[in-house]
Amino acid sequence: MATLTLKRLNEVFTIHSFPANCEIPPAVFQQNIYFIAKTYEEVSVVVPNDLPLNSEDCETDWKALEVVGPLDFSLTGILSNISSVLAKEKISIFAISTFDTDYILVKSNKLEASITALTNNNYLVI
């Protein structure tokens, strides 16, 4: 696989959990970046830390690395390889995929260790 480039995003994120039947707070849609996933059991919303939401539960202080894309759908193992590198360093992730690319969120205090591990494994982090 060719060397992949990951880009650090400036934002610090919070991951929120809502009930499956919730209405998404309108302020979410005013953010420059946000992610929403809905299952039968819950709705996950990822937004910048500075947007307070009245969710059932939340995890604050996440930083994101964007896999610079767009990525072709025929590519395989991108998230698997990145998560394996980070797992070897005992760094947990929250992964998000979009049509064009993937985002790997790590706790802010693990960002530098994540970047070091990735660069030591032939990833370029900008």
Side-chain angles (χ1 to χ4, degrees):
M1 179 185 295
T3 300
L4 288 175
T5 300
L6 292 95
K7 177 183 172 186
R8 285 186 250 205
L9 300 187
N10 292 326
E11 294 85 354
V12 180
F13 292 94
T14 298
I15 304 165
H16 294 272
S17 179
F18 291 93
N21 61 350
C22 79
E23 185 174 318
I24 304 297
V28 169
F29 302 107
Q30 303 305 312
Q31 301 304 299
N32 289 328
I33 186 169
Y34 60 87
F35 305 93
I36 300 172
K38 184 179 189 310
T39 69
Y40 297 110
E41 290 83 28
E42 59 105 15
V43 174
S44 292
V45 176
V46 180
V47 292
N49 262 8
D50 58 2
L51 177 64
L53 298 177
N54 189 19
S55 55
E56 287 187 327
D57 199 4
C58 68
E59 279 281 329
T60 62
D61 205 32
W62 292 83
K63 293 290 286 184
L65 297 169
E66 173 188 355
V67 180
V68 175
L71 303 174
D72 190 276
F73 278 102
S74 66
L75 296 174
T76 59
I78 293 170
L79 276 177
S80 174
N81 292 336
I82 292 170
S83 65
S84 292
V85 166
L86 298 178
K88 286 178 188 171
E89 300 299 320
K90 308 247 185 286
I91 298 171
S92 62
I93 68 167
F94 187 87
I96 300 170
S97 293
T98 69
F99 190 90
D100 284 341
T101 195
D102 298 315
Y103 295 82
I104 296 84
L105 280 69
V106 298
K107 290 298 255 184
S108 291
N109 66 347
K110 296 291 186 178
L111 180 64
E112 291 306 319
S114 299
I115 291 169
T116 298
L118 291 164
T119 55
N120 289 342
N121 284 271
N122 300 317
Y123 291 90
L124 175 63
V125 181
I126 57 173

